[in-house]
Amino acid sequence: MDVDTASQSLSPAAASHHPNLKLPATCEPPSEQNPPKQASWIVFGATGHMGRSLVRALLSHGDKCTAVGWTQESTMGQMKKWEQEKDCVGMLCDVRVRETVDSVIKKSIERWGHIDVIANCTGYGVIGACEDQDDYDLRNQFNTNFLGTLHIIQLSLPHFRAQNSGRYLIFSSTAGALGVPGLGPYCATKYAVEGLIESMLYEIDCFNIKATLVEPGHVRLDEPDDIVVGGENPGPDGPPKPRRYGHFFVKEKLSEPYSTATSPAGHAKRMIQWLNDRQPVSAVKSAELVWQLGHCSYPPLRLLLGSYAVESIRDRMKSIIEEIEDWKHLSFPMVGPTEEERDRGGDEMEQDEMMENE
């Protein structure tokens, strides 16, 4: 799997023929020997670069799709552009509002007859110290990233259960596995999503419903052209702000303790500003793998995309194991001689003393 690539434009068709873009054979991905059946998808967050690339990928493979934009940054006119594509319909919703999510799901079922795969690519983060993020920042990140995901799942599960099949592809992040200074609340929302999906798997497996957490590293927009371009609003109901990097928005006012050039709270901002358009992970290649994920027989719980995601999460897991090993003696009794061994040891000492006296 080679989603890290030099900066270049790719088409979904080119990505689908890339020799290294294949999921492991153990999960039985689509292939000539295992041809996929046409599937109906709902892609929430279709205006973001990952969501947009995913919609393009699945349409190039002949699947049907409802491409869902966010009411806070897209217009219905923009979403209608998707309908220039075959078997695609554009809609709008606000994942924070259950009624709008329910409407999208019902209209999609009415349009396609059934839904096979739901992908949630929505979410945003605010860059700033935990102490500096106000109630508005905190609540809207949780309402969008976590409760939005929960709304999608709760409102679609009855349909999946009724047809005894279904699949969720939930976009998480490396921030769902390790804390990033400057992105504390965002990381908290992703940790919450990870816990939700991992717990839910045990509840829905008996209904033949699967779920995978997709954890991309730094993803670059590398599509040859754009169909839909989102607006400039940084967050729910907020006024336009110029300092936006992908789906992250920089906190404009920093308190004095966190405003120094080397403050850890500024790490995320410095990293994202430095990356700019240097992100190593291809959105188009990633989308091809996620399409395969929607059609494979045995999907994993997590799919990591990009060398940064693999290395950073693997290092995090190693550090956790090392810390557990260093401190485990506090939770287990010390291994020592049994009472019988202590008695036997005492008898041997008495015999040694008697021999020395003789």
Side-chain angles (χ1 to χ4, degrees), residues 179-335:
V180 181
L183 285 174
Y186 175 76
C187 292
T189 67
K190 293 302 183 179
Y191 268 71
V193 168
E194 299 251 340
L196 171 70
I197 299 303
E198 191 163 348
S199 301
M200 186 187 71
L201 280 180
Y202 297 97
E203 302 170 359
I204 63 176
D205 185 67
C206 60
F207 304 116
N208 193 34
I209 302 170
K210 309 297 183 184
T212 295
L213 290 157
V214 181
E215 299 179 350
H218 302 301
V219 180
R220 182 185 68 260
L221 175 61
D222 58 348
E223 295 176 278
D225 61 283
D226 293 339
I227 287 183
V228 179
V229 179
E232 296 300 324
N233 286 347
D237 310 316
K241 294 181 182 179
R243 302 180 69 187
R244 173 175 177 171
Y245 300 90
H247 60 287
F248 293 109
F249 307 94
V250 179
K251 192 72 177 171
E252 292 293 333
K253 294 183 180 179
L254 302 178
S255 59
E256 190 276 332
Y258 302 108
S259 60
T260 62
T262 58
S263 169
H267 167 75
K269 175 184 172 183
R270 292 190 295 269
M271 178 179 67
I272 290 174
Q273 287 177 328
W274 178 83
L275 280 170
N276 195 15
D277 60 351
R278 301 185 185 95
Q279 297 93 332
V281 179
S282 163
V284 174
K285 289 185 176 182
S286 297
E288 167 62 23
L289 290 172
V290 174
W291 173 81
Q292 295 179 28
L293 193 63
H295 285 274
C296 70
S297 301
Y298 305 103
L301 170 58
R302 290 180 176 84
L303 175 65
L304 276 58
L305 295 174
S307 58
Y308 169 78
V310 172
E311 292 174 358
S312 61
I313 294 177
R314 183 171 55 193
D315 288 346
R316 172 61 173 155
M317 296 298 103
K318 285 180 180 179
S319 70
I320 290 174
I321 293 173
E322 289 172 359
E323 190 170 65
I324 290 172
E325 292 299 316
D326 287 343
W327 293 85
K328 68 180 181 182
H329 66 278
L330 299 176
S331 300
F332 295 95
M334 296 294 291
V335 179

Side-chain angles (χ1 to χ4, degrees), residues 92-122:
L92 285 174
C93 88
D94 184 342
V95 294
R96 300 171 301 161
V97 182
R98 289 177 65 92
E99 291 77 11
T100 67
V101 176
D102 191 41
S103 176
V104 164
I105 293 171
K106 288 179 178 178
K107 288 179 180 178
S108 298
I109 294 172
E110 182 179 346
R111 177 67 179 264
W112 309 121
H114 66 281
I115 300 301
D116 301 297
V117 187
I118 293 179
N120 182 24
C121 308
T122 62

